[in-house]
Amino acid sequence: MTSTLIWIAVVLFAIGLYLSWTAGRLDRLHARIDAARAALDAQLLRRASVAQELATSGILDPAASIVLYEAAHAARQAAEEHREVAESELSQALRAVFAEQEVLDLVREAAGGDEAAGELAQAVRRVPMARRFHNDAVRAARALRRHRTVRWFRLAGHAPFPLAVEMDDEPPTVLADRAGGPGATRA
């Protein structure tokens, strides 16, 4: 009788230990999602700020400046539920403005333009990386939250179900080449 109670206690302790470990792992994944989201938000803000500065610098032609400024301003001011659309539109505006190498060369020839072009190239390169890190963390948390044990014992608590960020973040070809090329500046 005593040995049976000991075995029951050991099994209950092992189950409790597993549940505690799983809940801790899920909590760490949620913290990783929060950190990745903050990093993504920072990179999106940096990209929009650099695009807005470039649009107001007077280097670009007026039409390109207006398109870029309006898209960057909309991305910075967008409400959370419209943010992905606004950021996608900024990506499209950047690709439209920097569709040709000549535009990038024009920016680089202006005073301070080489630094601005380098900063924009870094910003447009970092946004897809930050989004990928965020979405990888979301994918891992979702996979863990789908386990029966997590659902049955409600180990996720009241944490909202993590959502991936889906947006167009493809950089302009001329800026993507510059970010990875030998003349790229490192931030």
Side-chain angles (χ1 to χ4, degrees):
M1 173 74 173
T2 313
S3 66
T4 304
L5 289 175
I6 292 173
W7 280 111
I8 290 173
V10 167
V11 168
L12 288 176
F13 178 75
I15 290 171
L17 193 63
Y18 172 75
L19 291 175
S20 175
W21 177 79
T22 303
R25 181 172 167 224
L26 189 57
D27 187 51
R28 288 188 301 275
L29 282 171
H30 281 279
R32 190 170 122 200
I33 289 170
D34 291 342
R37 181 59 190 220
L40 175 60
D41 287 342
Q43 292 305 323
L44 291 171
L45 181 63
R46 180 176 181 227
R47 178 181 76 159
S49 297
V50 171
Q52 210 168 17
E53 286 177 24
L54 191 58
T56 59
S57 68
I59 297 172
L60 300 172
D61 67 85
S65 293
I66 290 171
V67 166
L68 194 56
Y69 179 83
E70 287 180 354
H73 181 70
R76 289 183 72 178
Q77 301 297 319
E80 191 62 36
E81 59 271 6
H82 302 293
R83 182 120 188 247
E84 292 174 6
V85 173
E87 294 292 348
S88 294
E89 289 172 355
L90 177 56
S91 296
Q92 293 166 0
L94 285 166
R95 283 196 306 271
V97 170
F98 291 98
E100 303 294 328
Q101 180 66 38
E102 292 79 27
V103 176
L104 181 61
D105 293 340
L106 178 69
V107 169
R108 290 175 63 196
E109 290 170 3
D114 198 39
E115 292 82 18
E119 193 173 345
L120 184 60
Q122 288 297 318
V124 299
R125 185 179 62 85
R126 288 180 178 172
V127 166
M129 290 182 352
R131 187 175 70 88
R132 193 173 320 119
F133 289 143
H134 176 269
N135 288 349
D136 287 346
V138 166
R139 204 171 0 269
R142 282 181 171 182
L144 184 58
R145 286 180 71 149
R146 283 190 196 107
H147 289 165
R148 277 188 225 125
T149 309
V150 173
R151 289 191 322 252
W152 288 347
F153 290 97
R154 299 178 191 250
L155 298 180
H158 297 290
F161 195 74
L163 299 174
V165 174
E166 298 301 330
M167 61 180 235
D168 176 7
D169 59 4
E170 183 182 337
T173 306
V174 296
L175 289 174
D177 292 345
R178 178 175 165 73
T185 54
R186 300 285 179 219

